Amino acid sequence: MPPIALQLYSVRREFAADMPGTLAAVARMGYTGVEFAGPPQHSAAALKAELDELGLACAGWHIPFDLVQDDPLPKTIAFHHALGNDKLIIPGIPEELRQSRDDWLKLAEFTNRLAERLASEGMRTGYHNHFHEFLPLDGETPWDTFFGNTDRSVIMQFDSGNAAFGGADPVSVIRSYPGRAVTVHLKPFTRSLHDGPGHDYPHPAFDPVIGEDDTDWAGFFDACESVGGTEWYIVEYESEAYPPLEAVERCLKALRGMGK
């Protein structure tokens, strides 16, 4: 069964104000690991020391797109070697670079080259979805354009709530790409609160925590564990319905109640 990590973007304000205290709180809740996001605000050595002391694993990092371009890439690789992170996930790309199917094919080519470069360093890359990857574009969804044209080593970091917000069926997506959902984001979503395409946070559809939403978690977990190749479940809660640390603890308790 995949262990459970927390995407620290969920508690970004707390983390920015008190990195050691926030990591300690996450560890006390019972999370096994954490996934970082954004440009580094601390040295790799400082972060690794905290993780080691707390017994937390690094489940990955959401790397800004500009930090995996050719010029900054050696520095990025050195940082993540020092941290001990082997999963460099692209959390999205600028809107002007994703206007057509051809744009997504170019992104697939770029990501394949990046994956080959990182493989020589013992690292992997991947892509994390929002909602727009599941809206048809030039006869195909960008999700299918991208993952239909990337190497199998490229991680499909599937965000359940974001995908549902775009109209996708999370279980079907996982089953359509066997072995590629190496890390997945568990994001609560309630379809009855969904009022159409768009992604403005906070949005009522994301207010309920895991276990209080209407996601088919049993079906989703079965897909991840039977065909998805999932190594990490990563909780991400982005609404303002609860204080962030309370929300992510509620999510973890619910997952434990589901046997995870």
Side-chain angles (χ1 to χ4, degrees), residues 141-194:
T141 66
W143 188 256
D144 288 331
T145 300
F146 180 79
F147 282 104
N149 290 279
T150 46
D151 188 83
R152 284 184 58 83
S153 67
V154 175
I155 294 170
M156 183 184 86
Q157 190 181 78
F158 183 75
D159 184 304
S160 64
N162 286 350
F165 203 80
D169 171 27
V171 174
S172 176
V173 174
I174 296 292
R175 292 192 176 279
S176 295
Y177 290 92
R180 299 196 66 176
V182 175
T183 62
V184 298
H185 274 214
L186 310 182
K187 183 176 291 176
F189 178 83
T190 295
R191 190 167 296 280
S192 63
L193 301 176
H194 179 41

Side-chain angles (χ1 to χ4, degrees), residues 84-258:
N85 173 43
D86 65 352
K87 298 178 183 66
L88 282 64
I89 307 297
I90 298 170
I93 59 171
E95 186 173 1
E96 63 270 18
L97 299 181
R98 51 176 174 82
Q99 295 297 304
S100 67
R101 184 174 185 274
D102 282 345
D103 286 343
W104 283 97
L105 288 172
K106 291 175 184 176
L107 177 62
E109 292 175 5
F110 167 83
T111 308
N112 283 334
R113 293 194 302 271
L114 177 61
E116 185 176 2
R117 172 70 177 87
L118 291 178
S120 66
E121 303 287 345
M123 297 176 175
R124 301 180 67 179
T125 190
Y127 184 81
H128 170 91
N129 66 281
H130 290 87
F131 79 96
H132 53 78
E133 291 89 349
F134 296 94
L135 304 180
L137 181 65
D138 297 340
E140 188 176 42
T141 66
W143 188 256
D144 288 331
T145 300
F146 180 79
F147 282 104
N149 290 279
T150 46
D151 188 83
R152 284 184 58 83
S153 67
V154 175
I155 294 170
M156 183 184 86
Q157 190 181 78
F158 183 75
D159 184 304
S160 64
N162 286 350
F165 203 80
D169 171 27
V171 174
S172 176
V173 174
I174 296 292
R175 292 192 176 279
S176 295
Y177 290 92
R180 299 196 66 176
V182 175
T183 62
V184 298
H185 274 214
L186 310 182
K187 183 176 291 176
F189 178 83
T190 295
R191 190 167 296 280
S192 63
L193 301 176
H194 179 41
D195 55 4
H199 205 290
D200 296 325
Y201 284 116
H203 187 285
F206 297 96
D207 284 353
V209 297
I210 291 173
E212 297 176 5
D213 65 325
D214 63 10
T215 300
D216 175 14
W217 290 115
F220 186 72
F221 294 140
D222 180 67
C224 289
E225 294 169 25
S226 62
V227 301
T230 303
E231 297 175 9
W232 279 100
Y233 290 137
I234 303 174
V235 169
E236 186 173 29
Y237 184 84
E238 296 183 86
S239 184
E240 302 292 334
Y242 297 91
L245 286 169
E246 176 186 343
V248 299
E249 185 168 23
R250 283 173 175 259
C251 287
L252 182 60
K253 286 181 177 178
L255 290 168
R256 297 304 188 208
M258 298 176 194

Side-chain angles (χ1 to χ4, degrees), residues 4-6 8 11 15 19-34 50-57 245 248-249 252 256:
I4 301 174
L6 176 68
L8 290 169
V11 293
F15 185 77
M19 179 269 285
T22 302
L23 291 177
V26 170
R28 284 194 300 271
M29 291 175 195
Y31 280 96
T32 302
V34 293
E50 292 295 333
L51 296 182
D52 289 348
E53 180 177 345
L54 296 167
L56 288 171
L245 286 169
V248 299
E249 185 168 23
L252 182 60
R256 297 304 188 208

